[in-house]
Amino acid sequence: MDKVLIIEDDPIMGDMIAMYLTEEGFLAKRAELGKKGLALLPEFNPDVVLLDLVLPDVSGMELCSELRRISPVPILVVSMKTDVSERVDALLAGADDFLCKPFSMRELTAKIGAMIRRTHLNQVAENARQGTAEASNVEKQEPIVLDMERRAIYVDGYYVETTFSEFEMMRLFLTNPGKVFSREELINELRGFDSFVTERAIDVHIANLRKKIEENPKEPKHIRTVWGVGYKFVMG
């Protein structure tokens, strides 16, 4: 049974979410304080963390960063604020997705389900890499390889974990090497997967990808900025 840790101080909202997720087949546990949620993480070992940014004891953004520092668990942030800057800050803090209050329970469960499926796909890809040194559709001679069947990315033969949007962006780059993509083109490509994608969010995804695939993210050799236009991918 997939597990969801709910860090939400509002008892009505928290209990309602927990009850709905339980009815949908999840095992849900709620923490009303950020510190309690952090303490529950290793004990409960959730598949997804649902994190309210407004908490009485700690900053939600700081808690998000701390959760990401100690665990790769997918984090779905919820907030009353709808500012683009709030969403970008959440992504920078390590969140995988963002949901604005009020939200429908169907949208909540859809996002949680998508996060869990992505995690399972990544785990399958990692297990396959560890168990089989040579995958049939992974070309080891290339420094960066996309395995479409397992939705996995390998850098110098090592599996690199990516978010759904990051994988889709790398798929676009690797299937169109040398092509310059404007931010608007990248937004249009990702909009079907990331409902909150913006130009700033594109820059965040690019920065995160560079940290994962570049030897020196400050001097990227693969994902290059084309000033005044956007980005392009170079394999060499």
Side-chain angles (χ1 to χ4, degrees), residues 117-141:
R117 285 193 300 273
R118 187 182 71 222
T119 300
H120 289 170
L121 285 169
N122 284 340
Q123 288 173 345
V124 168
E126 172 65 0
N127 292 338
R129 185 195 70 81
Q130 292 178 350
T132 307
E134 296 287 339
S136 60
N137 56 343
V138 175
E139 298 295 334
K140 294 298 183 180
Q141 64 267 27

Side-chain angles (χ1 to χ4, degrees), residues 84-124:
V84 171
S85 60
E86 182 91 350
R87 300 171 191 163
V88 171
D89 287 344
L91 289 171
L92 288 170
D96 293 270
D97 207 342
F98 191 101
L99 195 56
C100 294
K101 293 181 178 180
F103 50 80
S104 74
M105 290 299 174
R106 289 185 62 190
E107 182 181 11
L108 173 67
T109 53
K111 284 183 177 290
I112 289 174
M115 285 179 163
I116 292 172
R117 285 193 300 273
R118 187 182 71 222
T119 300
H120 289 170
L121 285 169
N122 284 340
Q123 288 173 345
V124 168

Side-chain angles (χ1 to χ4, degrees), residues 198-215:
T198 62
E199 287 196 4
R200 182 71 181 109
I202 290 293
D203 293 337
V204 171
H205 289 317
I206 291 290
N208 288 338
L209 280 171
R210 282 173 170 166
K211 292 176 183 177
K212 294 176 180 181
I213 72 169
E214 299 282 0
E215 184 176 344

Side-chain angles (χ1 to χ4, degrees), residues 2 9 20 29 33 44 52 62-63 71 74 78 84 88 93 109-110 116 132 135 152 167 199 203 219:
D2 295 318
D9 66 307
Y20 187 85
K29 181 169 287 191
L33 298 175
F44 187 50
D52 186 1
E62 291 179 5
L63 180 58
S71 171
V78 295
V84 171
V88 171
T109 53
I116 292 172
T132 307
F167 179 87
E199 287 196 4
D203 293 337
E219 296 182 5

